[in-house]
Amino acid sequence: MEPCSWRALILVFFLLPLLTQGRTRHYKFNVVAKNFTRLCSPKSIITVNGRFPGPTLYAREGDTVIVKVANHVQENVTIHWHGVRQLTTGWADGPAYVTQCPIQPGQNYAYNFTLTGQRGTLLWHAHIMWQRATVHGAIVILPKRGVPYPFPAPHKEVVLVLAEWWKSDVEAVINEALQSGLGPNVSDAHTINGHAGPTSGCASSARDGFTLRVDQRKTYLLRIINAALNDDLFFKVAGHLMTVVEVDATYTKPFTIDTLLIAPGQTTNVLLTADQGAGRYLVTASPFMDSPLVAVDNSTGTATVQYTDAVSTSAIATTKLPPRNSTSLASQFIDSLRSLNSKQYPANVPSTVDHSLLFTVGLGVNPCPACTNGSRVVAAMNNVTFMMPTTALLQAHYFNMSGVFTNDFPGQPLIAFNYTGSGPNNTQTMNGTRLYRLPYNASVQLVLQDTGIIGPESHPIHLHGYNFFVVGRGVGNYDPATSPSKFNLVDPIERNTMAVPAAGWTAIRFRADNPGVWFLHCHFEVHTTWGLKMAFVVEDGKGPNESLQPPPKDLPAC
Ligand SMILES: *[C@@H]1O[C@H](CO)[C@@H](O)[C@H](O)[C@H]1NC(C)=O
Ligand SMILES: *[C@@H]1O[C@H](CO)[C@@H](O)[C@H](O)[C@H]1NC(C)=O
Ligand SMILES: *[C@@H]1O[C@H](CO)[C@@H](O)[C@H](O)[C@H]1NC(C)=O
Ligand SMILES: *[C@@H]1O[C@H](CO)[C@@H](O)[C@H](O)[C@H]1NC(C)=O
Ligand SMILES: *[C@@H]1O[C@H](CO)[C@@H](O)[C@H](O)[C@H]1NC(C)=O
Ligand SMILES: *[C@@H]1O[C@H](CO)[C@@H](O)[C@H](O)[C@H]1NC(C)=O
Ligand SMILES: *[C@@H]1O[C@H](CO)[C@@H](O)[C@H](O)[C@H]1NC(C)=O
Ligand SMILES: *[C@@H]1O[C@H](CO)[C@@H](O)[C@H](O)[C@H]1NC(C)=O
Ligand SMILES: *[C@@H]1O[C@H](CO)[C@@H](O)[C@H](O)[C@H]1NC(C)=O
Ligand SMILES: *[C@@H]1O[C@H](CO)[C@@H](O)[C@H](O)[C@H]1NC(C)=O
Ligand SMILES: *[C@@H]1O[C@H](CO)[C@@H](O)[C@H](O)[C@H]1NC(C)=O
Ligand SMILES: *[C@@H]1O[C@H](CO)[C@@H](O)[C@H](O)[C@H]1NC(C)=O
Ligand SMILES: [Cu+2]
C-alpha cells in the first residue's frame, strides 16, 4: 500500500475517532468541612474543595468525566450530576439509597460517566440529607469542538449560582422540623455566587456581593443555576432585558424577558447585552411563592452588573421586585418556553403513549403522638409516602434482591377526589417503597397533579436519567377527555425539572430508553424529605448498549 493511504487509514481509524469521541476529564472533589465567615452567622459548612459554591465542572459534549470524590467529613456523602443522562451508567447518578450506598467517612468513589447528546448548563449537588445546601456547583458542557452555538457567540460566559443560606446548621433545621411534625425554618438569605449582597442583612460588609464586570455593547452568556433547597426564584437585572436561549442543557427558541423564573434544580442560559449607559445595575434573586399558607424566606439576594467605564462609587440602578405571589408572571415565563426544534436539534416527542400515568403530588397529615400537634406533615405521590430503603434500589434491582422494594407503585390515584378542591376528609397517606416498572423503550405520558391537601403549592418535579417534554399544563384538575386536545407535541420544552403549578397539573412525555432505577421527586428538599418521591425501574433492552453496565468495583457498600 502507498504510504499516503496508510496515513489516510491512520486518520480514519485512529485520529478521527479520537477527535470525535471526546476526551476524558479528571476531577478531584475533596469533601471537607470549612469555617465559613463571608455570610451572617459564621459556621462550619460542608464543601467541595473548601469552596461555596463548589468548583465548576467543564467538559465538552461527548467527553467522559471521572470525578474522584473523597469524603473527609463525619457525614455520609453522595454527589448527583443533575440532568446528566447517565446512559447505562446509573451507578454514577448519585442519589443515596437509590443508585448507590453513601460514600462513608474516609471512603472514596470515582463517578465515571459520558456526556452524550447534551450541551449547556447543568449542576452537580450532594444527594443525601440536606447537604446540597452548601455542596453544589455548575456543570458547563460546551458543544463539540468546532460546533457553534445556535445563537450569536457571546463575548464572555459567566456562571451564576443562586442558593439559600441558613444561619443554623441545615441538618439541625430539618431534624427540628421532623421532631415537631411542622415545616422547617425558612432560610435567612438568598445568595448569588456565595454572596448575599450588601442590602440583604446577611452580608459580611457593606461592599459584599458578586460583581459582574461588563464592557459596553458586548453580549454575555449568563449560565444561571437555582441551587436553592426550597425556593423558586425570580431573577432580574435592573435596566436590562435577557434573551433565553437554553434551559436544562437543551436549546430553546430565543425569547426576551425582563424577569425569569427558575425553580430549584433548573438551569437557564440567557444572553445579556450591556446596552445601557455606563453605570452600576442591581441583580436580584427573590422568591416566588403563590401559596399564602407556605412560609418563605422573603430576602432578596443581590449582585451588581458594573460597566467597565462606570465609577465604582456611582449610585446603583435598582429594579422593582416582582411580587412574591405573582402567578401570572411565573406562568407567562413558563408558557414562553419552546424547544428550538431545528434540524440539528429536533424535539423527538413521543407521538404515541404505551404507559399513561397520573400521579398526584402534594402533602398529607399522619398521626404522630410525640409531635407538636399530635400529627406530622408528610408528602406523597399517589398517596404513597416513599420510605427510603437501607440498601440501594439499583443494587437490589441488578442483583435480584427481594424485600427491598415492590413493583406496585400505582399508575393512577387509588381514590379519585377533587384534587384541587378542599380534598378528601381523610388526609392520611400510606408508607411504601414502591417502584413503577417500565419495559425498555416504552413511551410514557405522566400527568403530575397537585393536590389541595393542607394547601395547594407549586412543586418542581425532577426526573433522573432522562429529559422529558412538557406537553401540557393547566389549572384545576387534569381532564383526560379534554386536556390532551391542547397538548403541544411539536416543540414543547425539553428539560429534566419542571414546576407543577399550585392547584394545577403538568403533563410530560419521555421514552424509557435508559435502563436502571431512576428517581422522580420534588426538588423542594423539604418535600423530598417528607416523602414526595418514587422511582421507575427501567428494564434492559435486547440490543447493544441497551443494558445497565455492571457496577464499578469501587461502588460503596451499605
Ligand atoms: C473551625 O473553627 C473551630 C473553632 O475555632 C475549630 O475548632 C475547627 O477546627 C475549625 N474547623 C475547620 C474545618 O477549620
Ligand atoms: C470508566 O468507564 C469506562 C466505560 O464504562 C471504562 O472503560 C473505564 O475504564 C472507566 N474508568 C475508570 C477510571 O473507572
Ligand atoms: C427555628 O426558629 C425558631 C424561631 O425563630 C428558633 O427558636 C429555633 O432555634 C430555630 N431552629 C433552628 C434549628 O435554627
Ligand atoms: C414574607 O412576605 C409575605 C408577604 O408579604 C408575608 O405574608 C410573610 O409573613 C413573610 N414571611 C416571612 C418569613 O417574613
Ligand atoms: C399578592 O399578595 C398581596 C399582599 O402581599 C395581595 O394584596 C395580593 O392580592 C396577592 N395577589 C394575588 C394574585 O394573590
Ligand atoms: C399546629 O398547631 C398550631 C397551634 O398549636 C396551629 O396554629 C397550626 O395550624 C397547626 N398546624 C397544623 C399543620 O396542623
Ligand atoms: C437477575 O435475574 C435476571 C432475570 O431472571 C437474570 O437474567 C440475571 O442474570 C439475574 N442477575 C443476577 C445478578 O443474578
Ligand atoms: C373542585 O374544587 C374546586 C375548588 O374548591 C371547585 O372550584 C371545583 O368546582 C371543584 N370541582 C368539582 C368537579 O367539584
Ligand atoms: C367530608 O366530610 C363532610 C362532613 O362530614 C361531608 O359533608 C363531605 O361530603 C365529606 N367529603 C368527602 C370528600 O368525603
Ligand atoms: C391514603 O392512604 C390512607 C392509608 O391507607 C387511606 O386511609 C386514605 O384514604 C388514602 N387516601 C387516598 C386519597 O387515597
Ligand atoms: C410510616 O413511616 C413512619 C416513618 O418511618 C413511621 O413513623 C410511621 O409509623 C409509619 N406509618 C405506618 C402507618 O406504618
Ligand atoms: C452512613 O451510611 C451507612 C451505610 O448505609 C449507614 O450504615 C450509616 O448509619 C450511615 N451513617 C450516618 C451517620 O448516617
Ligand atoms: Cu414539592
Side-chain angles (χ1 to χ4, degrees):
M1 211 183 282
E2 297 285 319
C4 63
S5 329
W6 278 113
R7 263 184 230 127
L9 277 180
I10 287 169
L11 184 72
V12 169
F13 287 102
F14 185 68
L15 287 175
L16 268 186
L18 269 189
L19 284 174
T20 51
Q21 259 174 19
R23 42 177 280 213
T24 301
R25 313 224 175 205
H26 294 267
Y27 279 85
K28 183 74 198 275
F29 276 21
N30 284 311
V31 179
V32 293
K34 165 106 180 156
N35 281 334
F36 197 80
T37 54
R38 194 198 294 148
L39 293 167
C40 52
S41 295
K43 61 171 180 173
S44 173
I45 60 171
I46 301 179
T47 68
V48 165
N49 300 348
R51 292 163 61 182
F52 171 71
T56 298
L57 204 151
Y58 287 95
R60 279 188 191 278
E61 179 183 345
D63 286 355
T64 292
V65 178
I66 296 177
V67 187
K68 266 200 182 146
V69 177
N71 182 359
H72 300 288
V73 298
Q74 296 309 306
E75 284 78 6
N76 286 337
V77 169
T78 73
I79 308 281
H80 168 51
W81 317 93
H82 183 116
V84 171
R85 293 263 348 245
Q86 302 288 5
L87 288 163
T88 72
T89 55
W91 307 106
D93 190 39
Y97 303 109
V98 177
T99 60
Q100 69 167 99
C101 297
I103 309 169
Q104 295 183 37
Q107 288 186 348
N108 302 305
Y109 179 44
Y111 291 88
N112 177 354
F113 53 88
T114 300
L115 299 164
T116 308
Q118 295 181 283
R119 73 303 292 170
T121 308
L122 294 170
L123 68 155
W124 57 265
H125 61 76
H127 214 305
I128 185 165
M129 303 184 293
W130 275 30
Q131 231 173 59
R132 74 178 175 88
T134 54
V135 179
H136 62 244
I139 302 176
V140 172
I141 311 171
L142 298 169
K144 286 183 177 174
R145 197 169 286 286
V147 177
Y149 292 129
F151 46 81
H155 174 60
K156 265 188 190 149
E157 303 192 358
V158 184
V159 168
L160 293 173
V161 182
L162 317 181
E164 268 178 286
W165 179 262
W166 275 261
K167 291 178 182 174
S168 300
D169 177 74
V170 287
E171 304 302 342
V173 169
I174 183 59
N175 287 337
E176 181 183 68
L178 291 175
Q179 296 243 313
S180 70
L182 304 172
N185 287 359
V186 299
S187 56
D188 298 294
H190 291 117
T191 58
I192 300 178
N193 284 353
H195 295 265
T199 55
S200 66
C202 199
S204 53
S205 77
R207 297 205 56 79
D208 176 71
F210 177 78
T211 300
L212 167 59
R213 288 172 204 287
V214 299
D215 294 337
Q216 215 155 16
R217 286 180 295 279
K218 293 275 169 42
T219 296
Y220 295 79
L221 180 68
L222 310 186
R223 297 176 176 271
I224 304 160
I225 294 168
N226 186 345
L229 259 62
N230 300 319
D231 292 348
D232 291 336
L233 294 167
F234 286 123
F235 178 91
K236 286 184 91 169
V237 180
H240 292 74
L241 296 176
M242 299 173 279
T243 302
V244 177
V245 291
E246 183 236 294
V247 296
D248 296 5
T250 62
Y251 294 128
T252 66
K253 289 196 174 70
F255 66 99
T256 299
I257 35 102
D258 67 359
T259 306
L260 75 81
L261 175 71
I262 187 163
Q266 293 185 329
T267 62
T268 307
N269 281 8
V270 301
L271 294 172
L272 177 123
T273 300
D275 55 6
Q276 298 300 304
R280 298 167 69 227
Y281 298 86
L282 196 68
V283 179
T284 60
S286 63
F288 163 58
M289 171 51 74
D290 58 355
S291 179
L293 290 174
V294 182
V296 74
D297 170 4
N298 286 336
S299 74
T300 303
T302 61
T304 310
V305 164
Q306 180 164 333
Y307 283 60
T308 38
D309 302 333
V311 182
S312 63
T313 51
S314 64
I316 193 158
T318 57
T319 181
K320 193 168 169 290
L321 286 179
R324 79 158 217 195
N325 59 357
S326 187
T327 310
S328 56
L329 201 55
S331 298
Q332 196 190 326
F333 179 79
I334 293 169
D335 292 342
S336 301
L337 291 164
R338 291 276 184 285
S339 280
L340 182 58
N341 191 28
S342 64
K343 203 169 163 200
Q344 196 175 0
Y345 303 103
N348 294 316
V349 190
S351 54
T352 57
V353 174
D354 302 325
H355 289 249
S356 184
L357 310 175
L358 175 70
F359 295 177
T360 59
V361 294
L363 305 183
V365 183
N366 283 347
C368 170
C371 293
T372 307
N373 287 13
S375 63
R376 67 153 52 100
V377 180
V378 294
M381 287 179 130
N382 273 353
N383 202 38
V384 180
T385 293
F386 194 87
M387 295 288 123
M388 273 300 183
T390 50
T391 304
L393 297 167
L394 188 61
Q395 256 176 310
H397 162 59
Y398 186 83
F399 292 106
N400 301 323
M401 294 158 69
S402 62
V404 178
F405 64 84
T406 54
N407 287 307
D408 58 351
F409 187 87
Q412 308 291 325
L414 295 176
I415 299 176
F417 60 100
N418 184 351
Y419 305 117
T420 54
S422 54
N425 286 342
N426 176 0
T427 56
Q428 287 188 35
T429 69
M430 58 182 95
N431 290 344
T433 306
R434 300 183 176 201
L435 274 53
Y436 191 92
R437 257 188 125 76
L438 290 167
Y440 183 81
N441 224 29
S443 72
V444 182
Q445 175 173 299
L446 169 58
V447 176
L448 293 147
Q449 170 73 60
D450 182 38
T451 74
I453 300 173
I454 300 187
E457 188 177 347
S458 169
H459 299 278
I461 304 292
H462 173 48
L463 176 60
H464 290 229
Y466 291 90
N467 282 344
F468 47 72
F469 293 95
V470 185
V471 296
R473 188 172 180 274
V475 292
N477 298 320
Y478 173 77
D479 181 348
T482 58
S483 303
S485 66
K486 297 192 195 78
F487 282 181
N488 174 4
L489 302 178
V490 177
D491 62 354
I493 195 66
E494 179 183 349
R495 59 189 324 170
N496 63 58
T497 307
M498 52 81 218
V500 176
W505 56 270
T506 292
I508 64 172
R509 284 193 186 183
F510 63 96
R511 184 168 294 284
D513 60 0
N514 190 11
V517 174
W518 303 108
F519 209 16
L520 176 80
H521 64 98
C522 184
H523 220 271
F524 285 161
E525 205 56 40
V526 55
H527 292 172
T528 306
T529 306
W530 281 344
L532 215 170
K533 53 197 174 192
M534 59 80 70
F536 288 104
V537 184
V538 178
E539 292 164 359
D540 285 345
K542 293 196 169 60
N545 305 318
E546 293 181 358
S547 292
L548 173 66
Q549 292 177 23
K553 296 213 163 37
D554 59 344
L555 184 73
C558 282

